[in-house]
Amino acid sequence: MSPVLQTPNPGHYCRSFGQEHSHMGPVRSPFAWRKVLYDRQPFPDNYVDESFLEEMRKNIYVRNYYYWAVVFESGVVIQQLCSVCVFVVIWWYMDQDMLSPQRLCGFGLLVTLLGYILFDAVDHGEGRRTSGRSRWADLKSALVFGAFTYGFSPVLKTLTESISTDTIYAMSVLMLLGHLVFFDYGANAAVVSSTLSINMAIFASVCLASRLPRSLHAFAMVTFAIQIFALWPSLQKKLRAYTPGAYLVITFLFAIFAVMWLMFISSVGALLFSLLLFSVSFVSPYYLIRLQLFKDNIHGPWDEAEIKEDLSRFLN
C-alpha cells in the first residue's frame, strides 16, 4: 500500500527553532524535510514529501529463467519420482513371487560396483582425495552394513506383525511422499532435510519388507532401498556436476525403464505416471516462465534495513 503524502500542520508551533506561527493563517515552513528520526523537525512523524515514492523500484531481484535450463533442473525431481516408482515396482514383483531375493541382491551388487567405479572415474578421484577416505574403509563399511542388515532381517520381518496390512500400506505411502517432499533437490529452502528424507524412505522400506514372505526378502528389500535412495542420488549429483550430457541420458533411460516396469503391473498407472513426468519436465517449466511476467514486487525506503556487514567478530 502506497504511503499517503501529508503536509505539515499549519497550526504547528516550531518552538524548538525559535519561531512561532501566527494563528491568523498558515505559514509555510522554511525548513526542508529530512528522512531522519534523531533530529527534531517541524513536521509530523508520519510526514513524507514527494521524493519518498521516487525511490521506489520494481522487480529488482527478479531472476530470469530459461526454458531448457529449467527443464534440465527438473531432472532431479524426475530421478526421485522414478526411484520411488522403481522401488514400489520391485517390491510388488517380490510380493507376487515374480522376483527372487537372490536375483535382486546379485543385480544390486553388480550395479553398486559399477556405480562405485563410475563415482570415482567421473572426477578422477578428486572427491576421494578431498575426503581422505580409502577404498578399504568403504569396503569395511559395506561389509558391516550387510552383516548387520542380514543379522537383523528376521527382526525386520516380524517387527510390524501386530499392525494391519492396510495401516502398513498407508504408512508407507505417507513416508514415501514425505521422502519426496523433504528431499534435497538443490533448493535453499527450510523444508529441505536430507536426513529426514532418507529416514522416511528407509522406514517405508522396512514397513513394506515386513509384508514379504521370508526374512531374506526383507534383507534384499532394505538393501535395495539403501542403494536407490542413498547411493543412487549421490552418483546422480556428481554426474550432474561433471558430465551434464551423461546425466541427461541416464535420467531419460531411467524414466523409460521405470515406465516400462510399471506397465507390466498397470497400463493405466504407467500412462498416468508418464503424464506426471511429462508435466514436471516440460509443462511446469513453461508455466514457471510465463508466471514471471506477472511478478510485481516493489522495493523502497519502507523496506526493513539489511545488514550487509559481517558481524561475526562481535560473537567472539
Side-chain angles (χ1 to χ4, degrees), residues 152-164 168 171 202-203 205-212 215 218 222:
F152 283 100
S153 56
V155 178
L156 299 177
K157 175 66 180 64
T158 59
L159 188 63
T160 59
E161 281 188 349
S162 60
I163 304 177
S164 65
I168 289 294
M171 290 170 58
I202 299 303
F203 181 79
S205 69
V206 171
C207 290
L208 292 177
S210 65
R211 290 301 180 264
L212 294 177
S215 59
V222 174

Side-chain angles (χ1 to χ4, degrees), residues 122-190:
V122 168
D123 61 349
H124 306 287
E126 180 182 352
R128 179 177 300 281
R129 289 190 296 269
T130 303
S131 62
R133 188 173 178 84
S134 64
R135 292 183 175 88
W136 174 243
D138 293 339
L139 179 60
K140 288 193 296 184
S141 299
L143 292 177
V144 170
F145 168 78
F148 270 91
T149 306
Y150 184 78
F152 283 100
S153 56
V155 178
L156 299 177
K157 175 66 180 64
T158 59
L159 188 63
T160 59
E161 281 188 349
S162 60
I163 304 177
S164 65
T165 302
D166 293 340
T167 304
I168 289 294
Y169 291 162
M171 290 170 58
S172 301
V173 170
L174 291 178
M175 291 300 104
L176 291 176
L177 289 176
H179 166 74
L180 293 174
V181 170
F182 294 104
F183 184 79
D184 185 7
Y185 298 101
N188 186 16

Side-chain angles (χ1 to χ4, degrees), residues 301-316:
W302 50 83
D303 292 339
E304 294 183 3
E306 296 182 8
I307 301 177
K308 304 292 185 180
E309 186 181 359
D310 184 13
L311 302 180
S312 60
R313 63 180 184 275
F314 294 108
L315 301 177
N316 298 329

Side-chain angles (χ1 to χ4, degrees), residues 101-268:
Q102 293 84 354
R103 288 186 178 181
L104 180 60
C105 290
F107 176 77
L109 179 61
L110 177 61
V111 173
T112 301
L113 289 176
L114 293 176
Y116 184 80
I117 296 173
L118 182 61
F119 189 85
D120 273 350
V122 168
D123 61 349
H124 306 287
E126 180 182 352
R128 179 177 300 281
R129 289 190 296 269
T130 303
S131 62
R133 188 173 178 84
S134 64
R135 292 183 175 88
W136 174 243
D138 293 339
L139 179 60
K140 288 193 296 184
S141 299
L143 292 177
V144 170
F145 168 78
F148 270 91
T149 306
Y150 184 78
F152 283 100
S153 56
V155 178
L156 299 177
K157 175 66 180 64
T158 59
L159 188 63
T160 59
E161 281 188 349
S162 60
I163 304 177
S164 65
T165 302
D166 293 340
T167 304
I168 289 294
Y169 291 162
M171 290 170 58
S172 301
V173 170
L174 291 178
M175 291 300 104
L176 291 176
L177 289 176
H179 166 74
L180 293 174
V181 170
F182 294 104
F183 184 79
D184 185 7
Y185 298 101
N188 186 16
V191 72
V192 173
S193 177
S194 300
T195 304
L196 179 60
S197 177
I198 186 64
N199 286 337
M200 296 180 80
I202 299 303
F203 181 79
S205 69
V206 171
C207 290
L208 292 177
S210 65
R211 290 301 180 264
L212 294 177
R214 294 184 297 275
S215 59
L216 185 59
H217 290 72
F219 167 73
M221 203 70 224
V222 174
T223 304
F224 180 71
I226 293 293
Q227 293 167 345
I228 198 168
F229 291 127
L231 302 181
W232 177 248
S234 300
L235 176 60
Q236 289 298 316
K237 185 177 181 180
K238 181 165 286 192
L239 289 175
R240 180 183 172 210
Y242 289 91
T243 56
Y247 169 77
L248 286 176
V249 173
I250 292 177
T251 301
F252 178 76
L253 294 178
F254 191 41
I256 294 297
F257 290 152
V259 173
M260 290 177 58
W261 291 338
L262 183 60
M263 190 176 297
F264 289 105
I265 299 177
S266 172
S267 57
V268 176

